[in-house]
Every structure is written in C-alpha cells, then in structure tokens.
Amino acid sequence: MNREQIILEMKQRVFEANLTLPKEGLIKLTWGNVSEINRKLGVIVIKPSGVSYDTMCAEEMVVTDLNGNLLEKESLNPSSDLATHVVLYKSFEKIGAIVHTHSTNAVKWAQARRDIPAYGTTHADTFYGSIPCTRQLTREEIESEYEKETGKVIVETFKKRNIEPLACPAVIVYGHGPFTWGETVEKAVQNSVILDEVASMALGTEQLKPTITAIDSYLLDKHYYRKHGVNAYYGQN
Amino acid sequence: MNREQIILEMKQRVFEANLTLPKEGLIKLTWGNVSEINRKLGVIVIKPSGVSYDTMCAEEMVVTDLNGNLLEKESLNPSSDLATHVVLYKSFEKIGAIVHTHSTNAVKWAQARRDIPAYGTTHADTFYGSIPCTRQLTREEIESEYEKETGKVIVETFKKRNIEPLACPAVIVYGHGPFTWGETVEKAVQNSVILDEVASMALGTEQLKPTITAIDSYLLDKHYYRKHGVNAYYGQN
Amino acid sequence: MNREQIILEMKQRVFEANLTLPKEGLIKLTWGNVSEINRKLGVIVIKPSGVSYDTMCAEEMVVTDLNGNLLEKESLNPSSDLATHVVLYKSFEKIGAIVHTHSTNAVKWAQARRDIPAYGTTHADTFYGSIPCTRQLTREEIESEYEKETGKVIVETFKKRNIEPLACPAVIVYGHGPFTWGETVEKAVQNSVILDEVASMALGTEQLKPTITAIDSYLLDKHYYRKHGVNAYYGQN
Amino acid sequence: MNREQIILEMKQRVFEANLTLPKEGLIKLTWGNVSEINRKLGVIVIKPSGVSYDTMCAEEMVVTDLNGNLLEKESLNPSSDLATHVVLYKSFEKIGAIVHTHSTNAVKWAQARRDIPAYGTTHADTFYGSIPCTRQLTREEIESEYEKETGKVIVETFKKRNIEPLACPAVIVYGHGPFTWGETVEKAVQNSVILDEVASMALGTEQLKPTITAIDSYLLDKHYYRKHGVNAYYGQN
C-alpha cells in the first residue's frame, strides 16, 4: 500500500473508533477523541475538534506529523487535546493509538483525585496494578501549554511509578478524566470500555466494604499473565 | 422569511427539542418542556401542557407574546411552567431558549437543596463555577403565582451571586429540578444533557472522597475559556 | 359494545400494559403483572402466571369474576398474585387497574422496609405524601393465604394512615416490592414508572444530604393540586 | 436424534445463550462463557476463548468430553474457564448448563468478598438463602491449576455450607465474579440475569438502611417454595 492508502485506512479506523465512543455510552455530545499513529510514515490521524458525531465523516479526520503539525490543506482544526497525544506517542514508544473520554465512572475517580485500586480479576485481566491518577498540574503548567503539560504529567506519572505503559494502558488525569491507549485503535477503545466498567465496579466495591484492599499480587499476576506475555493462554493465539 | 415562516420553523425546532428529552433519557412521560424566543418578532413558542410525546406534532406547539399571552386561535394550553420561562426571558436578555426537565441526577441535587460544585473539567467546560440552587420559596410565593415566583427566584439567585446567565446556563430549583438555557434551542438542550451528566459525576465523586472540594480557579478558568470567549480555541471557529 | 367485546378490549389493554413493563425497564423476565377491572360487568382481567413475554398473546389474558374465580374454559393459570389484586379492588372502590412489579429502585426501599418520603415536586406531582411501606406480615399470615394477606395488609396500611388510595396510588410491601394502581390501566402503569423514578431520586437525595427531610406541606399541596382535583390546571382539560 | 444432531443443537443453544449475555447487559466485549452438558452422550459444549461476539458462529462452539478433552479436529481453543465448568459438572450432578459472567453488580459483591444476603422476595424467588462467596484461593491453588481450583473451591463452599446447588444456582467467587447454573441453558442464563438484579437491589438496600438483616425464614420459604418443589403454584404446570 502506498502512503495515501495507508492514511485513508487510518482515517477510516479513527473515524469508526470515534463513533464507537457514544455507542458504548462512553461520551456525550462531541466529547472524546481518538488518534492513531504510523511511526514509519511519520503520521498521526486524530478527530477534528468539536464536530458533531452525526455529520462527521472519515475524510474529515485530521492528519499531522509526529509533532502535531497539520499535513493537509483545508484541514479542519484537530482535537484540542492533540498536544497531549503527541507527548504520549513520543514517550510511550510501543503504543499505536490513544483514546480520551469523559466516561462517567472514570471521571468520578479523576474528580476524586484517586488511583483506581485493583479490587478484582476484571481489573487484573487488563490493568497490571492500580490505574494511576496524575498529580495536580501547577498553575504555571495550566496557564502555559496546558495540553502539552497534561501529556507530560502522564509520562512523569508512569516514569516515577515505574509502570510500563502497555502493562497499564490507562491513566486518570487529576480533576479531568481518563486517557487509554493500546497497540491498535481497537485495543485502545476497548481499554476505555474496560476502564469505565472497572471504575464502576470499584466504586460499588467500596460502598459494600469500605475497608477493602487490593487483591493479592499472585491473583493479579495470574489474571494478567493469563492474557498477556509469552505464557498467555487466553484467546486463539 | 416572513413572520409565519419564522414561527413555523420555531415550532419545528421546539417540537424536535422536546422529543430529544426522552431520547436522551432526561425525562419520563410528558415531563419537561422547551421554549424558544424571537425577541424581534415578540414571540415565544413552547410545548403544550401534558400532551403525550407519542402523538404530539409540531403544529401543536403553543405561540405566545413576550408576556405569555396566547397568539393563536384554537391553541392548546401552554406548559404550566410558561410563566417561569417568561420571567427568565425578560431578565436574561441574551438567552434564546429554555429547557426544563426532571432529569434524575439533577433532581437529586435539587431535592438535596444543594449547589453542584465544580469538581472537574467536564463541569468547567460548560459551567463557570458552581451550578446554583435557589433559596426555598416562601409559603406566600408558592400559594400566589407559583410559576412566576419560580422564575423570579432564579433571577434573584443569579443577581445576588453576580452570575452571568450564559456563563452558567443552568440552575437547580430548591426541592424541584433544573432549568437550563442557551443562545439556541440546541444549546439549551445540550446544557440539560451536560447538567445531568455533571450531576451524576459529582455525586460519585463525593462517594469516592467525602472531603472533596471544588477544582482550583485556574483549572476552571482554563477549561471554561478554552471553549468560551474571545480566546476560545475549541471547535472549528 | 357487548360483554364479549368489552372483555376483548380489556384483554388487549392488559396485554399491552404488561409488555410496557419490560420496555420501561421495570421488570426482568416474566416478573410483574397487570390487571384491569370492570365493576359493572363483574370481571377482572389479569396476566397469566409465568408466561414468557416473548410468546404471550392478548387472548391468553385470564378472565375472572370479582372473587378471582376463572370464567373461561381452557384458561391459563392467572398470576399468582391475583388474590392480592382481588382484595385491593374490593377495598379501593375507585381504582380500575393494578400493576405489580419488582422494579429495581422501588424494591430497594421495600427491602429496606421504609416509606419513600416526599423529597421533591417530582414525587408531589403524583403522590400526595410519603409512599407507605406496609408492616411485616406475621408468620401466620404468610403461611396461610399469603397473597390475600398481602392485599389485606395494604388495605390496612391505607386505612390506619388515613390515605385515600387515589391520592397516593402506590404502596411498598415490606421485604417484597411495589404495587401501583389508577383509574385506568395506562395510569396504573405510569404510576409504576413514576414510582421507580421517584425511588431512585430519593435514594440519591439521601446520599447527597443524609439529614434531608420531606418538603413543606404547602409545596406538596401546590404540586399535587396543580395536577389533581377541581382546581387542577395542568394538561389540556 | 443421532449424536451429531444432538451436538448441533447443543452448539446452537450455547451460541445463542452467549449472545444473550451482552444483550442483557451482563458482559462487555468477549467476557463471559456458557456451556451445556449432555451426560448420556458424554459431551460438553462451551464457547471458544476470546472470540468476538460480532463474528462468532454456532459451529465454532467447542465440543469436549466430560474431562474437557477436545473432541473435534480443527477446534478453536475452548474458554479458559473450561476446567472450572468440568469440575462443577462432575460434582453438581443435576445441573445441565453453566454461565460465567463479569456482570457489574455481582462483581461488586465478589470484589467486596461478601455473600449476598436474602433481603427480599426477588432474591427468595430464585435463591434459597444467601448467595455464597467462596473463600480466597491460596497462592498455591492460584499458581497451580487455577481454573480447576476455582471449580473445587465452589464445590467446597456448597458442601461445607450444605447448600443444594439447584436451591441456590449461583456463587460469587472471591475477588473474581459470579458463576450460575441450571437444569437447562436457558435457566442458567436467567439465573445470571436475576443474580445481577438481586446484587444491585441488595447494594441499594444497604445504602438505604445500613443495619438491614436478611428476611425471616418463613418469608424466604414461602417465596422459594411458591416457585419450586412439589407444592409450587407459580407458572402453568
């Protein structure tokens, strides 16, 4: 496939992934955005900013280089969160797609400014340990390059806590909401679905037992490595 | 367009906006009402009272003057909340449409008689600060012109707290439920959708952290002014 | 219309009303039952017991006399709650239809063995005061004629508390679930919808403010009498 | 019917039952699995592992013997939980089908590591007493044959507490999620629906009254035996 065809297919995938967000109940109105990267080609495709999901079409997806510079004439404005995506792609080298939502249950945790603890195997099947909540951005960070700083604080969180991005493909941004990612755009969207479900379950778990603690590490290991890594035995591969 | 055509289109928009309310899960049965104003024409169009959404048609929308007097022969009765709308249109001069619902999560706050604090950016993207809850109406106010007094207490709330109606296009009426508004009927309905979502998130946030406080003013500013005002950079304009 | 035609139409209405219950999210599987009475004709029509909503048809609705005796040959078994309906029809002379569900939010209150207080106008628009929870049935009542005793304890509750059945067309049976009623089958179903919504709102209200109390009587009066009685001014009549 | 035809029909039923899980809101993505056993034929049919519900077809259902050994050439990998199903079928001799989900409300209880008490008749209609939560698996059990040990701890739970599997056709696995079963695959799926509903109601009940206790045994008996056993009088049989 030539460059044009590859970008066309990226646009189609990013478009469809965005439509999945309201279908899965993860967003209202035009909230949320999905992007995909092709590192060899040096291209990112992302949703345009504030376009109604009812009228949006695949061609309107915005194409940028790896620094977020627009590559197409007559391009729509990219999602205002593009700068966050760019920072994440630069630091998390194995990820191929990013999803940002304001999904109800994940936002509750973001607003409570809390990590989501691994309370069970539904969590452990996808997220290896707590889903981290970033520190608060400083006033200076917010008032300068806010979206870029949002990306930087996510990267800082994963570095400081020594978390491998694909081992925990989600983050909670303090006071804001979740970002998820994955090797493919399908995986990144699935991780948003799972994150919100896990966030809902974790709230209910605390309501049923306020003293609850995370599951033991060997149960976490068992479920995570049943699905991931060289000894995985879930699925058809 | 002549006056008749304009009113026909207003009826169509108000009709469709009302149908959106049950579709978005904001109301049950015939609850809720939407109106639109054309100040130049001196006309308000509002839903009729208590008509089933299954059989209602666009022509049945009720047309009144700016004081709420019926302008069409053989008109249906207007929504019983018309007098509230009239007061709001008179005082909030920049708004073009009003929506009243009994949406589940917003009503929880109304019944708890509490403002909804700005716990995160989902809130700040639309509402600049707490969404205010009105004071309790007195017995005299309730027993005299109840719907008009409801409008007056909303206006009083915004004046006393010095809130610009379009900067916080929603209110919680004490013991009752929400009203939202906007420059257009589409915006007013969207604000009802966002209000209920924000109300749900805020309840969950308090459940996860009972000591939570509102976000800092600079994060509130950042998100609100990213979408509103002369320096806005969200969307395609 | 002759007797046969009237019964055919009753069957059709009761059938459709039962189908509304899962559509409105009020029941799972074959839970719930609806009946209608024609006092002049001496006839009650009620859902058959445990028939799947997917295959059920209007003709299968069960016809009984006012004591619950089957009137048709080859009738299916009536809902096991028929005896409760019969007692309510005998004591609540103005009601024309009864609905029983296990709707999620109303059952939470039944299992908590609590009245639902009138925390706001959504409640007051339909229910004039607290929705009462019955006392616990005694072991003897449960082990003798359970369904009949369920009807009797509902009637006892309304008599002891001096509640007019149409002023509060719903009850919560201790440890069990709700019954609602109305002058027509449409009204009785609507009251089940409203009851569950009000039950959900009331739980959320208590979560937001544990010290909350019922609304003042004059707000209750205003909303209830705005929709009911000789001075009602809601709707088109 | 010959063996081939019987297996074809088992595949069809198991396939359809799996599709019911997302339709009923019991699972996300490819979570969950359903199996059916034919003891005379010595055959278990179970969902393949990790196949998308959008593309899965009836022929792909996996056929094994009663020890879980694959019986068909070119079979897909069976659900990774097959070993749990095998253990349950061996010990619970009257059950004909098993369903595993990660349904939201049941998982909250699993993660809270608690039995679900019988707080009302909705529970008692299907589950005779508390729905038990298993003990925690030891590190050794988790690290050896995890899925088999999961089955064994379920069986241990029912034996120790002296619960008849069909009298309480559901279990909560500590930190994980629910399994349900039944004489038929339809019943097993229904029990998953009811379990999640009962789990939701029980959480709300505790929120409304933290001091709540289980219903009295005679109300439990009444509702359970109204639907089950020789004196049952619910339904058409």
Side-chain angles (χ1 to χ4, degrees), chain A residues 193-204:
Chain A
V193 171
I194 299 171
L195 171 62
D196 200 67
E197 181 70 358
V198 159
S200 163
M201 289 168 169
L203 169 52

Side-chain angles (χ1 to χ4, degrees), chain D:
Chain D
M1 276 200 298
N2 64 21
R3 180 184 171 92
E4 255 179 65
Q5 285 174 315
I6 292 172
I7 289 176
L8 264 177
E9 294 199 355
M10 287 176 77
K11 282 184 164 188
Q12 187 62 34
R13 275 193 301 270
V14 168
F15 171 66
E16 285 172 12
N18 273 294
L19 294 189
T20 305
L21 303 185
K23 246 184 270 171
E24 292 284 346
L26 294 173
I27 57 160
K28 304 277 180 187
L29 309 170
T30 65
W31 302 350
N33 43 70
V34 179
S35 74
E36 187 181 320
I37 192 169
N38 184 314
R39 293 172 192 274
K40 284 185 201 155
L41 227 57
V43 162
I44 292 170
V45 173
I46 192 167
K47 201 196 77 157
S49 181
V51 172
S52 166
Y53 281 54
D54 292 336
T55 59
M56 194 169 70
C57 62
E59 302 92 78
E60 289 175 341
M61 298 301 105
V62 178
V63 184
T64 79
D65 66 19
L66 300 192
N67 293 310
N69 302 305
L70 298 186
L71 290 183
E72 294 187 333
K73 286 190 288 192
E74 308 194 12
S75 175
L76 291 176
N77 295 337
S79 164
S80 55
D81 294 314
L82 171 61
T84 311
H85 292 234
V86 168
V87 172
L88 295 183
Y89 284 129
K90 287 189 179 173
S91 293
F92 297 170
E93 294 172 9
K94 293 181 186 163
I95 72 176
I98 296 170
V99 176
H100 173 48
T101 78
H102 284 225
S103 74
T104 314
N105 295 294
V107 167
K108 289 174 187 171
W109 287 87
Q111 295 190 160
R113 306 159 193 177
R114 292 184 54 193
D115 294 0
I116 305 179
Y119 286 142
T121 62
T122 316
H123 184 118
D125 281 337
T126 301
F127 305 107
Y128 188 59
S130 290
I131 298 162
C133 179
T134 67
R135 68 165 170 80
Q136 186 175 17
L137 287 178
T138 66
R139 178 167 197 152
E140 290 66 38
E141 288 167 336
I142 288 172
E143 294 181 349
S144 60
E145 297 180 279
Y146 173 61
E147 291 81 8
K148 186 175 173 181
E149 294 296 339
T150 298
K152 282 168 67 179
V153 80
I154 294 171
V155 172
E156 174 194 315
T157 302
F158 277 67
K159 281 201 178 140
K160 270 200 179 158
R161 301 205 196 179
N162 204 22
I163 306 172
E164 210 283 298
L166 283 178
C168 182
V171 74
I172 300 291
V173 177
Y174 183 105
H176 184 164
F179 284 80
T180 66
W181 46 80
E183 288 170 309
T184 64
V185 76
E186 291 79 13
K187 278 282 176 193
V189 170
Q190 281 185 12
N191 289 336
S192 280
V193 171
I194 298 170
L195 171 63
D196 200 66
E197 180 70 358
V198 159
S200 164
M201 289 168 170
L203 169 53
T205 301
E206 295 194 351
Q207 290 173 326
L208 284 168
K209 190 179 278 177
T211 59
I212 196 73
T213 52
I215 54 172
D216 285 313
S217 61
Y218 42 88
L219 183 55
L220 180 70
D221 282 350
K222 180 67 196 180
H223 268 264
Y224 188 75
Y225 290 114
R226 192 164 87 141
K227 282 197 163 185
H228 303 87
V230 289
N231 294 316
Y233 57 95
Y234 179 92
Q236 298 301 328
N237 303 311

Side-chain angles (χ1 to χ4, degrees), chain A residues 60-96:
Chain A
E60 290 175 340
M61 299 300 105
V62 179
V63 183
T64 79
D65 66 18
L66 300 192
N67 293 310
N69 301 306
L70 299 187
L71 291 181
E72 294 186 333
K73 287 189 287 192
E74 307 194 13
S75 174
L76 291 176
N77 295 339
S79 164
S80 55
D81 294 315
L82 171 61
T84 311
H85 292 234
V86 167
V87 172
L88 294 182
Y89 283 129
K90 287 190 178 172
S91 294
F92 296 169
E93 294 171 9
K94 293 182 187 162
I95 71 174

